[in-house]
Amino acid sequence: MLEGKPSGTAYRVALRRAAHQVFDQPVVFTDPLALQILGAHRKDSRAAQDLRAPSRPTSVSLRAFLVARSQFAEETLAAAVQQPSITQYVLLGAGLDTFAYRNPHTGLRVFEVDHPDTQAWKLHLLTRSGIAIPADTVHVAVDFHHDSLADQLVSAGFDPAAPTVFAWLGVVPYLTDEAFTATMRYLSRCAAGSVLIMDYGLPRHALPTEDEQRAFDSLAERVALAGEPFQLFFMPGELHARMNGMGWQTIEDLDRDAINERYFSNRADNLRCLSNGGHLFAARLTSQQA
């Protein structure tokens, strides 16, 4: 992201979640605050002007992946909190996610972690849109160039000794390998029984068609121009082995076909994932690392 400015990617992702509420039927991921946080319910707002659902196949496919990602995360969280020991949910790179403001899980404390610029912008949007911040929601500003995630979370009241669900959505492809490893090293020292939800992308060379590679290049160019270039990709076997070596056991890894089967089967419209590049991943920490 550009220094001194909130994440443009977070805005575009939020627009697509909001567009899903308006233009896609039936809705896969229900978010009653998606329009409100952007101000898109006001016709004179910038977001209302930006709100659209392009019919280009690559645009529809991207929207499908983003709404499936949010639904996957909240389904995985709902399953995890059936264990009464899990009382913390940490969103790493929270962006304009609205879960904390419609949290249905009694006793679940939500920590939203993001860059100070993006977080200040979100707090402004929450105030402007009249969305109340629940008492069990904590905002944790972390500049990863200068701050320690561990220190900032603990200072905000996070208990690393308690099993936790971590959501790391739309972040991993933008990280360096060193940043990914450092964050995973910290998460792996948290309590056994913790759950991690994230998405990741396959490297360009693994995409099976020229059309997918061209779509990859187009998206990569757009995010780079926004100051948030793609940097990190994994092959599934490589990621699973790496995670297992840090004490994480894979729960699910959904590829394109699995995502479409779960979320987009038997639809009358063309909302579905076309690219083989995006995966949805969840794992459980079975052994706390030293």
Side-chain angles (χ1 to χ4, degrees), residues 180-223:
F180 174 82
T181 300
T183 300
M184 283 307 310
R185 188 177 297 120
Y186 168 66
L187 298 184
S188 301
R189 293 197 300 267
C190 291
S194 293
V195 171
L196 172 64
I197 308 159
M198 72 180 202
D199 59 308
Y200 70 95
L202 303 186
R204 184 186 188 279
H205 68 77
L207 301 179
T209 69
E210 290 185 5
D211 284 347
E212 286 191 51
Q213 292 177 358
R214 283 194 294 267
F216 173 97
D217 292 341
S218 176
L219 181 58
E221 182 179 1
R222 294 199 301 275
V223 298

Side-chain angles (χ1 to χ4, degrees), residues 31 35 128 143:
D31 184 350
L35 291 162
R128 187 188 68 180
D143 182 340

Side-chain angles (χ1 to χ4, degrees), residues 19-94:
H20 176 61
Q21 313 303 309
V22 176
F23 299 108
D24 299 323
Q25 294 298 326
V27 171
V28 172
F29 172 64
T30 301
D31 184 350
L33 300 179
L35 291 162
Q36 187 176 345
I37 193 170
L38 290 169
H41 59 301
R42 302 194 320 273
K43 293 183 179 180
D44 61 342
S45 69
R46 173 195 169 189
Q49 304 305 311
D50 290 342
L51 190 68
R52 59 181 62 88
S55 59
R56 296 187 306 276
T58 54
S59 297
V60 176
S61 175
L62 178 58
R63 186 167 75 253
F65 180 77
L66 294 176
V67 300
R69 182 175 74 186
S70 292
Q71 183 65 16
F72 176 75
E74 295 192 15
E75 286 177 355
T76 305
L77 172 66
V81 297
Q82 297 304 309
Q83 299 296 322
S85 60
I86 292 185
T87 58
Q88 299 179 130
Y89 183 40
V90 177
L91 291 100
L92 298 168

